[in-house]
Amino acid sequence: MQGQQSRQFPFIASNDGSVSGDGMMHLNPPNPDDRRFYTIQRVNGNGANGKNDGSAGPHKHSLEDSDRIKKNSVVRHMLKMEKEKKKTELLASTSESLFRSSSRRRLRTMADDTKSTQKTYHKKATGEALATVKKHAKDHDLKLYGSCFCPFVQRVWISLQFKGMGYQYIEIDPYKKPESLLAINPRGLIPALRHGDWSCYESTVLMEYLEDLNDGPPLFPPGNAKLRAQCRLWTDHINRHIVPAFYSYLQAQEIPMQMEKATKLQNEISKLIDAADPSGGFFLGREMSFVDVQLAPWIIRMRKVLTPYRGWPEPAAGSRWASWVNAIENNAHVKATTSTDDLYLDSYERYA
């Protein structure tokens, strides 16, 4: 055709934004089951609309430019459609999440309405721990401020029981932070210890203070500086790696994230097991040590919290880990500071 060139190129554009055809750009492979058919007519010639009327029109592009412009227009259109699709899906997903969250809140409210009082965190120990609280309720120069559900408090509490020291246990509501606690720790955190006119806080620091008093049996092996240093090293591992991994696992909501966090916790525990005495029992073998007391509250909460809320597995029968867990759970001083299962289930429900 004189003064006018016209070619037709059929192509296929799928809903996922892919484009195919002779000389067209491929973003993604087209889906043969979800296709729409188009025809692009490429026109270049005299006249505004390609009419051969002898007058020059505004269409000044070469064939190559025309191809490029049309290709880019189609691609931009498909990308825009894909962006709108993703936006719609995101809004739908967010709406569903909000709906579920709202539904859970409504269900909780309905459940609370059927009870005479709303369930809150526990403010009083139960079981054997309650019996221990009653034995140590009288005024004493050495006072431990704690809360029944706190694992950091249980560390210091086990140490006091292990050493057979006299002390007064004072139950504190850590969310109300009474003046007696703030006078020891301005941040209002527990555990806190007052000994006469001296006071201090932080569980590991308090355990070391009790060791330095040389009152009762030691948790650090006496007369062995290297072994004591080894205990401090693995105490640091517990605080830096195992305790954070425990809470990350408990707080993970999605299944893939829970699996990832469970693996992380298992790996950190495995490192500690590899460093333990292979003969079994406690970290150093037959006798409880500083490392055991550091870890004990979380071993207790693995069975009482992680197993029901996250499906944490039982230790493999006959394994070094099973021997260690058994030694901790059956230790008289650990049992004397441990409440009944329902206290831990209720206290950790907000995190799970």
Side-chain angles (χ1 to χ4, degrees):
M1 184 180 294
Q2 185 178 4
Q4 178 179 346
Q5 294 177 331
S6 176
R7 298 179 187 177
Q8 292 185 342
F9 293 90
F11 72 93
I12 301 171
S14 68
N15 285 338
D16 66 355
S18 62
V19 179
S20 66
D22 185 9
M24 299 302 290
M25 181 182 296
H26 290 259
L27 297 182
N28 291 301
N31 183 353
D33 298 323
D34 185 15
R35 302 184 294 181
R36 289 178 290 183
F37 293 86
Y38 300 83
T39 297
I40 289 181
Q41 185 174 13
R42 185 175 64 190
V43 178
N44 189 33
N46 296 325
N49 294 311
K51 297 179 180 180
N52 191 17
D53 56 4
S55 61
H59 193 82
K60 301 297 184 181
H61 302 118
S62 66
L63 290 179
E64 289 75 11
D65 288 341
S66 180
D67 279 346
R68 178 177 53 78
I69 292 170
K70 288 182 172 66
K71 289 177 185 178
N72 290 343
S73 297
V74 171
V75 170
R76 285 197 301 272
H77 175 69
M78 292 304 175
L79 291 176
K80 181 179 179 181
M81 291 174 62
E82 181 66 17
K83 184 177 180 180
E84 292 297 326
K85 179 182 177 183
K86 289 181 179 179
K87 183 185 295 184
T88 302
E89 291 174 349
L90 178 62
L91 289 173
S93 175
T94 303
S95 298
E96 182 179 4
S97 176
L98 290 172
F99 173 77
R100 288 179 179 176
S101 178
S102 177
S103 297
R104 286 195 294 268
R105 287 196 297 271
R106 287 198 298 270
L107 288 173
R108 291 193 188 104
T109 301
M110 292 171 62
D112 290 342
D113 288 343
T114 64
K115 300 179 182 180
S116 58
T117 58
Q118 187 177 6
K119 183 191 296 184
T120 61
Y121 57 91
H122 286 250
K123 303 172 186 175
K124 188 176 182 180
T126 61
E128 293 190 49
L130 178 58
T132 303
V133 169
K134 292 178 178 179
K135 291 178 183 178
H136 293 272
K138 293 183 180 180
D139 185 62
H140 196 281
D141 192 48
L142 181 61
K143 305 179 189 297
L144 172 62
Y145 294 82
S147 291
C148 54
F149 58 82
C150 178
F152 298 96
V153 169
Q154 192 175 11
R155 280 176 167 176
V156 184
W157 204 2
I158 293 172
S159 297
L160 287 166
Q161 288 293 121
F162 175 84
K163 293 176 176 299
M165 298 174 64
Y167 67 93
Q168 180 185 4
Y169 180 89
I170 301 174
E171 184 74 25
I172 290 293
D173 184 343
Y175 299 105
K176 292 187 177 178
K177 304 184 187 306
E179 288 299 323
S180 57
L181 177 61
L182 292 173
I184 301 173
N185 184 351
R187 297 170 61 196
L189 301 179
I190 50 174
L193 198 70
R194 179 174 290 282
H195 197 182
D197 59 357
W198 178 87
S199 58
C200 195
Y201 48 92
E202 296 292 345
S203 62
T204 301
V205 173
L206 297 181
M207 284 180 60
E208 292 199 358
Y209 172 72
L210 296 177
E211 284 292 294
D212 290 340
L213 292 177
N214 295 315
D215 187 352
L219 285 168
F220 280 126
N224 191 330
K226 294 178 181 178
L227 200 54
R228 292 163 72 94
Q230 190 77 354
C231 287
R232 288 189 172 95
L233 177 66
W234 289 103
T235 288
D236 183 72
H237 177 79
I238 291 169
N239 288 323
R240 287 179 181 269
H241 301 289
I242 293 180
V243 171
F246 176 97
Y247 290 110
S248 293
Y249 179 30
L250 179 62
Q251 293 172 348
Q253 299 299 310
E254 302 299 329
I255 296 299
M257 184 59 68
Q258 290 177 8
M259 295 175 64
E260 176 185 329
K261 298 301 182 181
T263 300
K264 169 69 172 175
L265 178 57
Q266 289 172 336
N267 289 341
E268 298 302 339
I269 291 174
S270 294
K271 295 175 185 177
L272 184 61
I273 294 172
D274 290 341
D277 188 311
S279 64
F282 297 106
F283 180 70
L284 296 179
R286 295 179 57 186
E287 301 296 330
M288 176 177 270
S289 72
F290 198 93
V291 175
D292 300 296
V293 178
Q294 283 277 305
L295 185 62
W298 284 272
I299 287 182
I300 294 299
R301 285 155 180 78
M302 285 175 191
R303 190 188 298 275
K304 295 181 181 294
V305 178
L306 287 187
T307 295
Y309 281 129
R310 291 291 177 264
W312 180 255
E314 291 291 320
S319 66
R320 179 64 179 89
W321 178 235
S323 172
W324 199 347
V325 170
N326 183 66
I328 292 293
E329 290 183 335
N330 290 287
N331 179 266
H333 311 303
V334 175
K335 293 169 70 174
T337 59
T338 301
S339 290
T340 53
D341 291 3
D342 60 316
L343 181 144
Y344 300 104
L345 283 171
D346 293 343
S347 299
Y348 283 86
E349 183 180 11
R350 70 188 69 190
Y351 302 107

